[in-house]
Amino acid sequence: MNQLKSREPGSVTLPGTLSDSLRAELVAFRRDLHMHPELGNQEFRTTAALKARLEAAGLAPKVLPAGTGLICDIGTPERRRGMLAIRADLDALPIPDVKTVAYRSTVANRAHACGHDVHTTTVLGAGLVLAELDRRGLLPNAVRLIFQPAEEVLPGGAADAVEAGVLDGVGRIIAVHCDPRVDAGKIGLRVGPITSACDRLEITLDGPGGHTARPHLTTDLVTAAARVATDVPAVLARRVDARSGLSVTWGRIEAGHAPNVIPQHAELSGTVRCLDLPAWRDAPDLVHAAIDEIATLHRAKSTVTYVRGVPPVVNDQAVTELLRDAMTARRGPQAIEDTEQSLGGEDFSWYLEYVPGAMARLGVRTPGDTRVRDLHAGDFDVDERCIEAGVELFTAAALLDAAPKP
């Protein structure tokens, strides 16, 4: 491994930068994952590939009880209390990959359109580098790698991972999430909430249908569904502090089969997002009440399924500063941007219910590129130089980690 020279006054010199061969290997590993995306709790191939590579490096990864995902500790057992954990998520999305690239998904209607292949590769790369540093006696504290399944499946695979004991012996935890608004080679940081809460909402409306010539003798479920879709967000806007950012957005509305028949059944589904933790806790009761009121006004019977998702990711100040110090040591303060709170949800938040931690935005945009390659879109891709930046961030954080041991 190469020694990294100081780039800014006051920055430290840290080992653990990438060799050319490892850099190329990680790009190839990411492309292989990208070509073989797996949905949540089905990441068997991905898990096997990670296990094989970590074992080849002399490590002893342990597959999680459900058969997908794994953890891997680096460092001797006596140093495994109050460990720093580095987390990646493994799963892909059920959408087609529409890019024209050699590493395009080979699985129909499956794509790594959220960058989890990048997250996984950066944590693997960090583990390989840290394992080498540990063999050389240069790793001060033990580190745990967490490769978690099913981030995209509410309420998130993180909850199952915690139940499986992945945080036992962990003092704090870090992660990254791809951000197509930030240039590759940089990260975005924020103390406090960096994502929003996200829940899922399913509604059914029922009532006697009939002929469109006589709507007064029926429950007009098409109109009722339309009013629920438009009026529920409006009602909530007057019942929740606007600063909480509570937002109901619909992704699906279905009702009816013929133009002259008023249906007896309608369905709506969407998400509830919230920037504020107290408002998120009150959201189910508020949303239920608003739906029931509007449905009753239109003589429709409503059934609401409110699926709790994830709370906001709230970055701990001390752990955020660890990430800031790490990136400053590697690439200088110019490689760090302030980032805003996103309305996207992330199940990394479940880990933060138990230990302090922080998530950074990992820049994946090619500098100067004006194209918008948004997350969860079929053409999403990254500038693969982001992999090296992520590895450097994680390895520097592990080397600088000075968490007190309980």
Side-chain angles (χ1 to χ4, degrees):
M1 304 293 171
N2 299 320
Q3 294 285 328
L4 182 72
K5 302 302 182 183
S6 299
R7 302 186 186 185
E8 294 291 325
S11 67
V12 297
T13 299
L14 295 174
T17 54
L18 291 180
S19 65
D20 291 342
S21 60
L22 182 54
R23 187 183 301 110
E25 178 189 351
L26 293 176
V27 169
F29 191 90
R30 179 258 168 174
R31 292 186 177 192
D32 179 72
L33 294 185
H34 201 84
M35 293 173 66
H36 301 93
E38 298 173 299
L39 299 184
N41 296 315
Q42 300 174 22
E43 310 95 333
F44 297 103
R45 182 186 185 276
T46 304
T47 299
L50 288 165
K51 184 173 182 290
R53 184 62 185 91
L54 291 167
E55 288 177 341
L59 298 170
K62 298 177 182 178
V63 177
L64 297 182
T68 63
L70 50 83
I71 62 171
C72 185
D73 291 348
I74 302 170
T76 54
E78 62 269 18
R79 290 184 286 148
R80 292 179 186 174
R81 296 191 63 200
M83 283 184 289
L84 178 71
I86 309 174
R87 174 266 196 173
D89 38 9
L90 306 180
D91 54 329
L93 287 163
I95 64 174
D97 189 343
V98 300
K99 300 187 300 298
T100 304
V101 293
Y103 49 87
R104 179 177 174 174
S105 171
T106 60
V107 184
N109 298 314
R110 301 287 186 270
H112 268 296
C114 201
H116 293 187
D117 54 336
V118 173
H119 305 167
T120 298
T121 303
T122 58
V123 176
L124 172 63
L128 297 176
V129 172
L130 292 173
E132 174 62 22
L133 293 179
D134 187 49
R135 283 189 286 271
R136 294 164 55 194
L138 298 177
L139 184 64
N141 299 322
V143 174
R144 173 168 293 165
L145 313 179
I146 300 176
F147 296 94
Q148 172 218 305
E151 191 276 331
E152 299 287 355
V153 181
L154 290 179
D160 293 332
V162 170
E163 187 175 345
V166 302
L167 292 181
D168 294 347
V170 169
R172 44 191 181 170
I173 187 168
I174 57 176
V176 295
H177 197 293
C178 290
D179 191 335
R181 302 165 301 172
V182 178
D183 286 349
K186 295 184 177 183
I187 62 169
L189 290 177
R190 175 186 174 90
V191 175
I194 193 171
T195 70
S196 79
C198 180
D199 299 333
R200 189 173 75 243
L201 187 60
E202 303 283 347
I203 304 169
T204 61
L205 301 174
D206 293 284
H211 201 295
T212 55
R214 292 177 288 276
H216 58 292
L217 301 179
T218 72
T219 293
D220 186 351
L221 283 184
V222 174
T223 297
R227 296 311 297 261
V228 167
T230 57
D231 291 354
V232 166
V235 167
L236 291 171
R238 292 298 178 266
R239 296 184 182 175
V240 181
D241 190 328
R243 292 170 294 183
S244 71
L246 191 144
S247 171
V248 176
T249 305
W250 308 105
R252 183 179 69 93
I253 301 178
E254 292 187 11
H257 301 283
N260 61 343
V261 178
I262 294 175
Q264 300 179 42
H265 183 78
E267 298 180 359
L268 302 89
S269 59
T271 59
V272 180
R273 299 180 186 271
C274 189
L275 301 175
D276 178 71
L277 190 56
W280 176 70
R281 291 178 175 137
D282 294 337
D285 290 340
L286 292 168
V287 171
H288 269 88
I291 292 168
D292 289 344
E293 287 177 23
I294 295 165
T296 299
L297 181 64
H298 292 275
R299 299 183 296 175
K301 178 183 177 182
S302 62
T303 302
V304 180
T305 301
Y306 195 107
V307 181
R308 268 305 199 191
V310 294
V313 172
V314 181
N315 280 351
D316 176 80
Q317 181 169 353
V319 184
T320 305
E321 289 308 309
L322 172 64
L323 292 174
R324 184 178 300 277
D325 291 345
M327 200 61 171
T328 300
R330 290 297 193 199
R331 300 194 172 206
Q334 69 276 7
I336 303 168
E337 298 181 0
D338 293 332
T339 192
E340 61 188 13
Q341 184 178 6
S342 165
L343 274 170
E346 233 291 350
D347 76 350
F348 184 71
S349 55
W350 290 124
Y351 299 111
L352 306 187
E353 296 285 303
Y354 302 92
V355 296
M359 171 174 279
R361 302 286 187 194
L362 180 67
V364 299
R365 179 180 63 192
T366 299
D369 191 349
T370 59
R371 291 173 294 177
V372 177
R373 293 179 179 248
D374 204 4
L375 301 169
H376 289 216
D379 65 344
F380 176 74
D381 205 356
V382 304
D383 182 324
E384 290 172 321
R385 288 175 290 183
C386 68
I387 295 171
E388 181 173 13
V391 173
E392 287 187 352
L393 173 69
F394 286 144
T395 54
L399 291 169
L400 294 175
D401 180 38
K405 299 297 180 270

